[in-house]
C-alpha cells in the first residue's frame, strides 16, 4: 500500500537510510526531502511503521535480486563465494536498506515475510549444493540469521 504511485519517495527513503541510518528515516525528514509538508504524506502512508515496512521489502527484494544474479549458473564453492560476496556488497553499498532488511516482520506484515522467504530460498538453494536441505537447513539458517 505504501506510496505505490510515488516511486521517488521510496528512492528518497532509501537515500536517507543509506546516508544517515535507518533511525534518520522519519516522516518529517521524508517530507522535507520531497519538498512537501508532513501532513501531505498521510495521503500515501499510514505512518512511520508503513515507511519502515516499505524499506524492509525493498531491502529484502534488492538483496535477493543481487544474490540471484551473483549465483546463477554457479554451484558449490563458487556459488557460496558469490552469494557471500554479493550480500557483503549489498550491506556495504546500501547500509540503510540492509539495516531495514534484517528486522523481523511484525504480525500482519505479510509482504515483508514473503520477501524474506524469497531471500531465504535463494540462500538455501546455494546451501543445497552442500547437501544442506529440508527442515534442518531452515533451522540452521535461522540460527545463523539470529546470531
Amino acid at each position: 500500500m505504501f506510496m505505490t504511485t510515488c516511486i521517488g519517495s521510496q528512492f528518497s527513503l532509501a537515500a536517507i537510510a543509506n546516508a544517515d541510518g535507518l533511525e534518520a528515516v522519519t516522516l518529517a525528514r521524508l517530507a522535507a526531502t520531497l519538498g512537501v509538508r508532513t501532513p501531505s504524506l498521510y495521503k500515501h502512508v499510514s505512518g512511520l511503521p508503513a515507511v519502515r515496512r516499505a524499506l524492509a521489502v525493498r531491502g529484502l527484494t534488492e538483496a535477493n535480486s543481487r544474490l540471484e544474479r551473483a549465483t546463477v549458473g554457479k554451484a558449490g564453492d563458487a556459488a557460496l563465494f558469490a552469494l557471500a560476496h554479493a550480500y557483503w556488497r549489498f550491506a556495504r553499498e546500501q547500509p540503510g536498506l540492509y539495516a531495514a532488511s534484517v528486522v523481523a516482520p511484525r504480525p500482519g506484515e505479510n509482504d515483508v515475510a514473503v520477501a524474506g522467504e524469497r531471500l531465504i530460498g535463494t540462500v538455501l538453494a546455494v546451501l543445497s549444493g552442500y547437501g544442506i536441505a529440508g527442515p534442518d537447513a531452515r533451522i540452521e539458517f535461522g540460527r545463523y540469521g539470529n546470531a
Side-chain angles (χ1 to χ4, degrees), residues 3-4 13 15 17 26 47 63 66 69 75 78 83 92 95 105 120 125-126 139:
M3 295 190 213
T4 54
L13 288 169
T26 64
R66 287 178 179 221
R69 283 194 313 268
L83 179 104
R92 297 265 307 175
I120 290 168
V126 170
I139 291 169

Side-chain angles (χ1 to χ4, degrees), residues 20-92:
D20 299 323
L22 188 57
E23 295 305 315
V25 175
T26 64
L27 293 180
R29 177 87 182 268
L30 176 61
T33 301
L34 296 173
V36 299
R37 294 176 348 124
T38 303
S40 299
L41 293 177
Y42 286 99
K43 293 178 187 173
H44 305 284
V45 64
S46 59
L48 191 56
V51 168
R52 297 273 167 87
R53 188 172 103 206
L55 279 172
V57 170
R58 177 145 182 235
L60 289 163
T61 301
E62 184 168 332
N64 188 50
S65 178
R66 287 178 179 221
L67 299 184
E68 286 178 336
R69 283 194 313 268
T71 59
V72 69
K74 295 180 175 81
D77 291 347
L80 186 60
F81 178 78
L83 179 104
H85 185 70
Y87 198 54
W88 174 81
R89 285 195 60 182
F90 169 70
R92 297 265 307 175

